[in-house]
Amino acid sequence: MQKIIDFIKETFNTNEFIPLHEPRFIGNEKKYLNDCIDSTFVSSVGKYVDTFENEFAKTVGSKFAIATVNGTAALHISLLLADVKKDDEVITQPLTFIATCNAISYIGAKPIFVDVDLDTMGLSPESLKNFLEINCEIKENKCVNKTTGKTIKACVPMHTFGHPCKIDEIKEICDIWNITLVEDAAESLGSYYKDKHTGTFGKVGAFSFNGNKIITSGGGGVIVTDDEILARRAKHITTTAKIPHLYEYVHDEIGYNYRLPNINAALLVAQLEQLEKFLASKRELAVKYKEFFTTNNMNFIIEPKDSKSNYWLQAVLLDDINQRNDFLDFTNKNGVMTRPIWRLMNELEMFKDCQKTDLKNSKYLEERVVNIPSSVIL
């Protein structure tokens, strides 16, 4: 295992501690921040918010983009736009970051967990189809869960570590069952499935710009959609549902203080300018990792068929949980940060009673997948 430590430290050209993923500020970040500070428009109104929303929409190929304070807020609002309400149900995957299920829970809805595919680590169309055919029926144009009697309003697949799931098949199934597709694209900026950017297959998609994402403003998120009415509503309710007026404070519904501050947007505008460089570096790192781990009889996780992944977090698939734990212990004790994939959501106390399918693939991956250092190398 020392060979792995040596290779990673040589790759990153350092003998110091190597974090899992750190940001790179190599462009106009300081220039735009200073300009933002000089303008005094550092809160949720300012030119950088507008610029970022316009440029991000162009980048992913959506008609509209609405910036939010973080990715969880973006997903929360996306579910509201999908008309998810208290006591509704939302299908998702158990192998995901907690934010996916938190956003569902904020509304008072309940997740249903279906299995993932081994090759994508994302929600499995086959598992989704089987669950719906066995457990659901269409009543009054709604998908009703025969077990609970509740309406299944939305389906939230997540593109794990930036590797696209079989999103077109998922969308086709959702359309048949009158379920709104909401993409959790938090990790997949720069990833494409069949030449279409992730996050743009569903009615709405949500991205994250947390400090460990491929571009960052320390936080930040964005909602994308092609629906102008939904875009206007997203901007309205993320800005406390305030009716525009010269001086009066009038709000017409419960809103959220979720708008991205201009000072964060200034960072994101500069970061977005570097996206192609960051993506190229990550693919170069993936090539090096694949060659090394293949040579050493270990499984490096590569982009799935029909996909172009951003390789946000690089990962290896180990033989079993014992090898996984040995790998994690040795690397972290020797100055190389690694982490296991997430604990399955259905194993957490607050979601242990949620309905689920057979989750054998999710469990298999939970016990074997480890993320390794993935920062951009320049």
Side-chain angles (χ1 to χ4, degrees):
M1 211 170 289
Q2 183 61 45
K3 187 186 292 187
I4 296 171
I5 299 293
D6 293 340
F7 172 76
I8 292 176
K9 291 198 170 184
E10 180 183 348
T11 300
F12 283 87
N13 193 30
T14 183
N15 285 316
E16 303 296 322
F17 171 77
I18 302 176
L20 189 68
H21 194 288
E22 60 183 356
R24 294 283 184 262
F25 301 114
I26 60 170
N28 289 312
E29 287 88 354
K30 291 181 180 179
K31 176 183 175 183
Y32 295 164
L33 282 173
N34 285 333
D35 179 58
C36 181
I37 291 167
D38 290 342
S39 76
T40 74
F41 286 94
V42 297
S43 191
S44 57
V45 175
K47 69 176 183 180
Y48 286 107
V49 175
D50 296 334
T51 298
F52 175 69
E53 289 176 336
N54 291 333
E55 292 304 313
F56 192 86
K58 291 177 187 176
T59 297
V60 302
S62 65
K63 290 183 180 178
F64 305 98
I66 303 90
T68 62
V69 70
N70 56 50
T72 308
L75 189 55
H76 178 200
I77 296 301
S78 294
L79 289 164
L80 291 175
L81 297 175
D83 197 36
V84 176
K85 293 182 171 64
K86 183 180 179 181
D87 295 326
D88 285 337
E89 293 177 335
V90 177
I91 295 174
T92 191
Q93 59 200 63
L95 195 68
T96 185
F97 181 55
I98 188 68
T100 309
C101 293
N102 280 346
I104 295 169
S105 302
Y106 294 165
I107 299 172
K110 194 165 187 176
I112 296 170
F113 299 113
V114 303
D115 206 7
V116 299
D117 285 323
L118 290 175
D119 57 340
T120 69
M121 300 180 290
L123 194 144
S124 166
E126 182 179 1
S127 183
L128 173 63
K129 182 173 182 288
N130 290 342
F131 173 82
L132 292 169
E133 289 178 348
I134 293 170
N135 296 282
C136 301
E137 60 184 348
I138 298 293
K139 281 186 176 181
E140 297 178 356
N141 223 28
K142 296 178 180 179
C143 179
V144 176
N145 187 336
K146 291 186 289 186
T147 304
T148 64
K150 295 182 178 180
T151 300
I152 298 176
K153 278 283 184 69
C155 176
V156 185
M158 200 271 286
H159 302 290
T160 305
F161 305 146
H163 297 301
C165 59
K166 300 181 178 93
I167 192 66
D168 59 344
E169 295 179 39
I170 294 169
K171 183 180 186 307
E172 184 177 344
I173 295 166
C174 287
D175 288 345
I176 291 171
W177 286 89
N178 293 332
I179 296 171
T180 301
L181 176 60
V182 176
E183 279 182 81
D184 185 344
E187 303 175 354
S188 64
L189 175 58
S191 296
Y192 291 81
Y193 184 72
K194 296 182 178 178
D195 298 322
K196 184 177 173 66
H197 201 291
T198 55
T200 64
F201 287 79
K203 179 170 282 191
V204 282
F207 291 82
S208 169
F209 311 113
N210 185 39
N212 65 352
K213 293 300 190 294
I214 192 165
I215 69 169
T216 184
S217 58
V222 74
I223 301 161
V224 296
T225 183
D226 285 341
D227 188 316
E228 185 176 0
I229 294 174
L230 289 183
R232 286 203 303 267
R233 176 159 171 75
K235 186 163 288 194
H236 182 60
I237 61 176
T238 56
T239 318
T240 68
K242 182 179 182 295
I243 297 174
H245 191 278
L246 184 61
Y247 51 84
E248 291 281 6
Y249 282 85
V250 180
H251 307 262
D252 60 357
E253 62 177 304
I254 299 295
Y256 302 87
N257 190 14
Y258 278 179
R259 289 289 283 156
L260 183 74
N262 195 45
I263 198 164
N264 295 88
L267 265 176
L268 283 173
V269 171
Q271 287 270 283
L272 196 59
E273 292 172 350
Q274 303 298 322
L275 178 61
E276 291 305 317
K277 185 179 293 185
F278 292 167
L279 291 169
S281 173
K282 283 184 166 291
R283 293 189 73 80
E284 289 174 11
L285 179 60
V287 169
K288 291 179 181 178
Y289 273 147
K290 181 184 177 184
E291 182 179 351
F292 172 81
F293 284 107
T294 300
T295 302
N296 288 275
N297 298 314
M298 297 179 72
N299 292 311
F300 175 71
I301 294 175
I302 61 171
E303 61 194 0
K305 181 183 177 184
D306 297 322
S307 299
K308 183 177 182 181
S309 173
N310 66 3
Y311 281 102
W312 168 56
L313 282 188
Q314 320 273 359
V316 290
L317 180 71
L318 301 174
D319 291 341
D320 53 39
I321 194 166
N322 292 324
Q323 188 186 35
R324 185 203 79 160
N325 291 342
D326 288 344
F327 186 98
L328 288 165
D329 189 64
F330 189 86
T331 51
N332 282 287
K333 285 180 178 177
N334 285 275
V336 173
M337 183 179 178
T338 59
R339 73 166 200 195
I341 203 168
W342 313 280
R343 181 75 59 88
L344 298 186
M345 294 295 103
N346 61 288
E347 295 177 354
L348 302 180
E349 184 66 24
M350 53 280 203
F351 302 121
K352 66 180 183 180
D353 296 326
C354 292
Q355 192 173 3
K356 61 183 183 296
T357 66
D358 180 356
L359 303 176
K360 62 180 181 180
N361 290 345
S362 300
K363 191 64 181 174
Y364 180 90
L365 293 168
E366 179 195 32
E367 294 180 349
R368 291 165 174 80
V369 175
V370 172
N371 293 123
I372 55 180
S374 306
S375 301
V376 167
I377 301 174
L378 297 170

